Amino acid sequence: LLVGLLLISLAFAGIAAAPLLVPGGGRGLWEALLGALAVGGVGEGLVEMNANVLILELFPDVSGQMLGLAEAAVGLGSICGPLFGGVAFAIGGFSAGASAVACVTLLLALSCLTSLSTLSGGGAAFVEDDEEASSGADLGPDQLVFALVLLGTFLAGAITSSYEPLASLHAVNDFGWSLATVGVVFSGYGVTYTAVSVLAGRWCDSSRAAPRQCFSCGAFVAALSSFLSSGSLTARPWDPAALICGALLLGAADALLLVPSLIVLRQCAPGNWRDSNSSLVALDQSVYALGSAFGPMLLLPVGELVGFRCVMAGIASASAALGLVSAPLMMRLGSVSE
């Protein structure tokens, strides 16, 4: 966690200093910014992975609520980040916002130094919780549930990373919206993601079966979001209200899929994986990152060829299929566990 925060601070310091270090701009500036973003991406991955590991180890009895709050913080950042960045840019120019983030993350990194001794005592809680989780290993075909959760996590990454550029392009072209209007509309995703993450976390802690039920619900909400966005459920294609509702529901779907995914993976993990929080968190986040990378690479070119409606209808069909396959299985296993 400490190393990740230091890397993020270094990356934003590099972004802030890039115009000064490469005054001529052009390709040199682009390469400097790209390198800083790469360093920041590594740092962000380290922070998110280790934060989730610490949550699982330090809060075994309320891990769902803590994971939900962590994801809510991510959603809140997605809402406040553009606003803060715009204000900082207007006041202090390009480097102001990046400099502020670099200073804040550096202070957080320094605060971690005073917490290392406290955090090192979290292993015992994890062992106890892990033993409790392993007691449910006879619930049924856990390997299938494990694979379905990974598939749903990959799908969530692919949809989220592709939806905004696809929908933004067609909102501008077909509705005549300005980029400012598009930004305001799609900030609704962060609002619903923040709110539903908190609710999903509380749901996941209500019973052993709850994380599986929450995940299945997320798959169906993702399908509904994509169908609405494609215009397939409205009398007029490209209905703006349908697109807005689709964006709001996508935030809810992501929260319902991502908050319980790690908990379900722990419940269903093979024996050699169940003993390592870090391995499960790394797997969960790697699959999401893989979906986020391959989603735009695949869906954006396809969207140019066949159109936004066809792409979203295809995503909706895949989400609905995931929900139809996972829901009966997870609900049946849940009833057994109860």
Side-chain angles (χ1 to χ4, degrees):
L1 185 64
L2 173 63
V3 172
L5 289 170
L6 288 174
L7 287 176
I8 293 175
S9 180
L10 178 63
F12 277 94
I15 292 174
L20 301 176
L21 297 176
V22 191
R27 183 178 179 85
L29 178 60
W30 180 85
E31 291 175 347
L33 292 175
L34 184 63
L37 289 173
V39 173
V42 174
E44 182 182 349
L46 289 173
V47 168
E48 188 170 355
M49 188 190 81
N50 286 283
N52 286 339
V53 171
L54 289 173
I55 286 173
L56 293 177
E57 293 186 354
L58 297 176
F59 306 100
D61 297 330
V62 289
S63 58
Q65 294 181 50
M66 294 298 104
L67 289 170
L69 289 174
E71 293 299 330
V74 173
L76 189 62
S78 71
I79 300 170
C80 298
L83 177 62
F84 167 78
V87 173
F89 181 84
I91 295 175
F94 175 82
S95 299
S99 300
V101 174
C103 292
V104 170
T105 50
L106 181 59
L107 290 175
L108 289 173
L110 294 176
S111 70
C112 285
L113 291 175
T114 63
S115 306
L116 290 177
S117 59
T118 303
L119 296 179
S120 62
F126 163 66
V127 172
E128 179 182 354
D129 181 67
D130 188 58
E131 290 173 356
E132 179 183 353
S134 64
S135 65
D138 57 349
L139 290 178
D142 284 349
Q143 291 182 348
L144 179 57
V145 175
F146 193 84
L148 287 173
V149 171
L150 291 179
L151 177 61
T153 303
F154 178 89
L155 188 62
I159 294 174
T160 303
S161 61
S162 305
Y163 180 85
E164 187 167 344
L166 279 170
S168 299
L169 175 65
H170 288 280
V172 171
N173 292 341
D174 293 287
F175 299 154
W177 290 357
S178 67
L179 292 177
T181 301
V182 171
V184 171
V185 167
F186 288 114
S187 67
Y189 166 91
V191 174
T192 54
Y193 185 85
T194 301
V196 177
S197 290
V198 176
L199 298 176
R202 296 182 65 86
W203 184 6
C204 288
D205 285 338
S206 63
S207 70
R208 180 169 171 76
R212 303 180 183 211
Q213 297 165 354
C214 181
F215 182 86
S216 299
C217 180
F220 286 117
V221 175
L224 178 59
S225 166
S226 302
F227 273 125
L228 279 172
S229 300
S230 70
S232 301
L233 300 183
T234 59
R236 292 183 302 156
W238 303 119
D239 189 339
L243 187 66
I244 294 172
C245 290
L248 294 174
L249 283 175
L250 182 61
D254 275 355
L256 292 170
L257 286 170
L258 297 178
V259 171
S261 64
L262 187 56
I263 301 174
V264 179
L265 288 177
R266 293 187 68 210
Q267 290 178 347
C268 305
N272 57 331
W273 282 79
R274 192 169 288 148
D275 295 332
S276 175
N277 271 340
S278 57
S279 297
L280 288 174
V281 173
L283 177 65
D284 184 51
Q285 294 187 354
S286 296
V287 170
Y288 182 83
L290 195 64
S292 299
F294 278 93
M297 290 174 58
L298 176 63
L299 297 179
L300 294 182
V302 172
E304 291 294 325
L305 292 175
V306 302
F308 174 74
R309 292 189 67 198
C310 292
V311 172
M312 296 309 299
I315 291 174
S317 300
S319 301
L322 176 66
L324 290 173
V325 172
S326 65
L329 176 64
M330 292 190 179
M331 298 303 180
R332 181 175 65 84
L333 295 180
S335 66
V336 173
S337 67
E338 293 295 324

